[in-house]
Every structure is written in structure tokens, then in C-alpha cells.
Amino acid sequence: EVQVVESGGGLVQAGGSLRLSCAASGFTSDDYGIGWLRQAPGKEIEIVSCISRSDDVTYYADSVKGRFTISSDNAKNTVYLQMNSLKPEDTAVYYCAASDWIIIGSMCGGNFASRGQGTQVTVSS
């Protein structure tokens, strides 16, 4: 069974930084992807960033390009989301989600069937 566990959320002032971590386990192959999704109050969930485990190809939503960086430590089966220059509009619950297939191009596609419990990120102005 695939499991993911997020950590690292919190409260930060605008312009500050946070790093989220996602520990993944239970995969039977390296052909999977990890995505960071977020949901703000009253808004639909959106894919912020994702990464392919097999070749480290990455995707970023336009709203976070140049500010967020996704990376993978394969030895630790952990994916990180470094968030810099945070804005109040980044406030949301952030979820790590695993997909047993992933397509990365102008968008990120995957089933993201295994999702963590979420971690709150709050950016004050």
C-alpha cells in the first residue's frame, strides 16, 4: 500500500520561506510521480508542482514558478517543496499525493490516488 506523509507547514510572513517534506513508501517500482496540491478556503484544489521519480522531470503551476522548487531525495524516498517569496495567496492546505503514473508537460497529469493528511501553510501580510 502506497503511503505519503507530509510535514513542514506553518505560519510565515509574506516574503518568507518554508520547506515541505513528503515521505513516500510502498511503491513497487520507480515509475511513479509525486505531486504537491493545495486547496485554499472556498477554492478548488490545484496542482502546484509535481516530479517524476524515474527521470526527475518537474512541473510548476504559473502561480509558483520562480518561487517554489520541488526536489527528490531518492535514497530517502522523500520529496521536498521549497517555497520562497511566499505571498498571502499561497495560504492553503498543502497535500502531498502519489501517482502510479505521471505525465509532465505543459501540465501535470496523474491519478494522485494516495494523498496525505495535508499540512497548513499560512502566509500573513
Side-chain angles (χ1 to χ4, degrees):
E1 179 184 359
V2 174
Q3 291 186 328
V4 293
V5 179
E6 313 98 335
S7 61
L11 172 64
V12 65
Q13 289 187 335
S17 299
L18 284 173
R19 189 176 80 158
L20 306 182
S21 299
C22 173
S25 62
F27 292 100
T28 58
S29 75
D30 291 337
D31 191 19
Y32 66 88
I34 296 289
W36 285 100
L37 289 66
R38 69 183 181 186
Q39 188 166 29
K43 294 188 177 181
E44 294 186 354
I45 198 164
E46 63 170 330
I47 297 175
V48 173
S49 180
C50 63
I51 187 168
S52 168
R53 169 65 172 80
S54 60
D55 55 12
D56 284 338
V57 174
T58 59
Y59 161 86
Y60 298 96
D62 288 343
S63 57
V64 305
K65 277 181 183 175
R67 301 188 298 121
F68 290 12
T69 302
I70 191 170
S71 62
S72 175
D73 183 337
N74 293 336
K76 296 182 179 180
N77 289 326
T78 300
V79 172
Y80 303 98
L81 185 68
Q82 178 67 43
M83 306 185 294
N84 298 329
S85 301
L86 282 161
K87 303 175 181 180
E89 51 263 44
D90 294 318
T91 295
V93 177
Y94 284 70
Y95 299 91
C96 172
S99 179
D100 57 5
W101 62 268
I102 194 160
I103 297 174
I104 297 176
S106 59
M107 299 179 68
C108 177
N111 57 25
F112 298 116
S114 301
R115 188 179 301 180
Q117 78 284 357
T119 185
Q120 177 70 46
V121 171
T122 302
V123 185
S124 62
S125 57

